[in-house]
Amino acid sequence: MNAGNASTGEAIALRGISKTFGSVTVLKATELAVNKSEFLTLLGPSGSGKTTLLNLISGALTPSSGEILLGGRNITRMPPRDRGIGMVFQNYALMPHMTVFENVAYPLRVRRESSGSIRRKVLDALDRVGLKGFDDRKPRQLSGGQQQRVGIARCIVYSPAIIMMDEPLGALDKNLREQMQTEIKRLHRELGTTIIYVTHDQEEALNMSDRICLMKTGEIAQLGAPDDLYFRPNSRFVAEFIGESNLLKGKSAAANSVAIDGVGVVHVPSSERSLGSDVMVMVRPEKMQISGADVDAPAGHNVLHGVVEAISFVGGMTRISVKTVQGASVTAKIISGPASTRPELGSAAKLSWSPAESVVLSA
Ligand SMILES: Nc1ncnc2c1ncn2[C@@H]1O[C@H](COP(=O)(O)OP(=O)(O)O)[C@@H](O)[C@H]1O
Ligand SMILES: [Mg+2]
């Protein structure tokens, strides 16, 4: 769900927001609008500025330039606690001496709600995160996953319109992380809250988000729906950060072709490019077809010849790496089947792909 029209449906808008520490700019002037009820993920390598961006929105940091609008209202200089933005942290940040009930009740006590209302809201929040009956425990009597559920309950208990989560599942093991991803998505659907989620894990971002904002050293590399970033990356950085990719270096030869170094001309979707410019042709491994050298490739496909140099079985898929006659390693990923359905290690192979599956990136 990609809610809303940007002019009426904006939960948050950042206008030229930047952050400089001393002489180091860690966030360049950034424009970003988050729609109401959207699940937006800030994805990027460590140090790319994700936490800085969250801290600017929450008010924990003051921007060096720009404005922050919350529902159209300028909150750039509003104190953090007046912004009504809920936070969930990777380290849970629970109060160890308080029971689960009191941890979750805390934001309501700060807001001086009546004890009846507090009791009702806390029990409802604990129920929503699957912790019914855990209210008398202390945090140390809970597993990591359960502690994070308390962190989430403490956040949703006062119904903030916006929730920000900074690598909330980073401390959990893989299976639990996947289960919690599903639960956070369910909560998002049930509550309709705007969520800004931070992770460095591309699979988590692809799985959970309406849109992904991919960050690279203090700026937005690309903002779009998960399949936009996957199928239409705008740069080599995006192509390499999200999923696996084959990158073939060459020069633009015509609107719909590229001369790959040492290979020759391959066909690509038509677009305007200056002739002779350095480009990369990106092809996802699952879009590469592989066959024996003597089998004809489908009509119109681009073709590479080589020798199978590695085969790795990765469960449902098998990854086959081919050393082309030009010396490049190109990978095809096929659905796993009996050994007879794939070329043998060391055998001559033909790789082919449809021109429509090529993405041309500037080098
Ligand atoms: N208080 C600070 N003073 C100086 N540099 C900082 C400070 N906080 C963060 N940085 C730097 O800003 C960059 C972005 O950090 P951060 O936003 O935490 O990245 P991420 O969350 O994407 O890992 C890093 O290079 C980090 O070292
Ligand atoms: Mg961070």
Side-chain angles (χ1 to χ4, degrees):
M1 181 184 57
N2 196 336
N5 148 328
S7 61
T8 58
E10 275 175 14
I12 296 179
L14 306 183
R15 300 216 176 123
I17 281 291
S18 73
K19 185 64 188 176
T20 300
F21 291 108
S23 60
V24 184
T25 298
V26 299
L27 187 72
K28 295 172 195 155
T30 296
E31 305 287 322
L32 176 66
V34 186
N35 297 318
K36 284 196 177 123
S37 301
E38 181 172 34
F39 195 115
L40 181 100
T41 297
L42 303 177
L43 172 68
S46 177
S48 57
K50 307 180 296 294
T51 296
T52 300
L53 193 47
L54 279 201
N55 286 340
L56 290 166
I57 296 171
S58 73
L61 284 176
T62 309
S64 305
S65 72
E67 290 184 337
I68 303 174
L69 307 184
L70 189 71
R73 212 164 130 231
N74 189 336
I75 59 151
T76 317
R77 267 159 284 279
M78 185 187 277
R81 58 182 302 169
D82 297 338
R83 300 184 184 199
I85 297 175
M87 286 290 289
V88 176
F89 303 96
Q90 178 174 343
N91 62 7
Y92 322 132
L94 303 179
M95 287 171 276
H97 58 285
M98 287 188 184
T99 62
V100 165
F101 185 96
E102 283 308 323
N103 268 282
V104 177
Y106 187 77
L108 302 175
R109 299 218 188 276
V110 170
R111 287 169 175 75
R112 303 191 181 286
E113 293 213 11
S114 71
S115 59
S117 157
I118 290 178
R119 182 155 187 84
R120 188 172 46 76
K121 288 182 181 176
V122 170
L123 296 181
D124 177 62
L126 287 174
D127 196 12
R128 281 184 185 278
V129 299
L131 285 182
K132 202 172 179 165
F134 284 73
D135 35 318
D136 284 338
R137 300 241 195 140
K138 293 280 177 63
R140 66 168 185 279
Q141 298 170 301
L142 302 175
S143 69
Q146 289 168 334
Q147 290 186 50
Q148 191 54 295
R149 287 166 199 266
V150 176
I152 294 170
R154 181 185 53 191
C155 179
I156 65 176
V157 75
Y158 65 99
S159 307
I162 294 166
I163 295 176
M164 302 203 293
M165 302 188 178
D166 195 354
E167 312 230 12
L169 310 182
L172 307 178
D173 63 38
K174 187 166 160 45
N175 284 340
L176 189 53
R177 220 162 59 211
E178 284 170 6
Q179 188 191 337
M180 291 292 286
Q181 287 172 16
T182 308
E183 294 197 22
I184 291 173
K185 275 171 66 175
R186 173 183 54 78
L187 273 176
H188 174 245
R189 272 196 310 277
E190 286 175 10
L191 302 172
T193 311
T194 306
I195 295 186
I196 305 180
Y197 190 92
V198 169
T199 182
H200 62 267
D201 178 340
Q202 47 128 346
E203 277 182 36
E204 188 162 294
L206 291 171
N207 174 24
M208 300 185 77
S209 320
D210 292 319
R211 285 191 304 164
I212 296 171
C213 177
L214 179 54
M215 312 270 306
K216 180 193 180 189
T217 52
E219 59 188 323
I220 298 177
Q222 191 168 356
L223 172 66
D227 56 346
D228 274 333
L229 271 67
Y230 189 81
F231 290 111
R232 289 175 287 281
N234 66 8
S235 63
R236 177 176 186 170
F237 173 78
V238 178
E240 292 190 310
F241 197 84
I242 305 225
E244 288 179 62
S245 53
N246 290 300
L247 292 163
L248 304 167
K249 222 164 140 328
K251 286 193 190 314
S252 171
N256 66 348
S257 66
V258 171
I260 303 295
D261 297 353
V263 171
V265 170
V266 301
H267 294 282
V268 298
S270 222
S271 75
E272 282 180 31
R273 262 184 307 278
S274 45
L275 291 187
S277 57
D278 289 324
V279 294
M280 304 281 255
V281 173
M282 191 280 285
V283 186
R284 295 291 184 192
E286 70 277 15
K287 301 297 183 188
M288 280 284 180
Q289 296 187 17
I290 184 161
S291 66
D294 48 353
V295 177
D296 287 338
H301 270 209
N302 295 311
V303 176
L304 294 172
H305 300 275
V307 170
V308 177
E309 61 174 353
I311 298 178
S312 68
F313 173 65
V314 282
M317 303 294 277
T318 297
R319 194 184 286 117
I320 302 174
S321 171
V322 172
K323 184 91 151 183
T324 66
V325 292
Q326 295 80 22
S329 278
V330 177
T331 302
K333 221 164 152 189
I334 62 172
I335 293 173
S336 298
S340 61
T341 61
R342 60 176 183 257
E344 279 176 47
L345 201 60
S347 68
K350 188 180 277 179
L351 289 166
S352 78
W353 74 97
S354 161
E357 305 295 355
S358 311
V359 176
V360 182
L361 306 169
S362 43

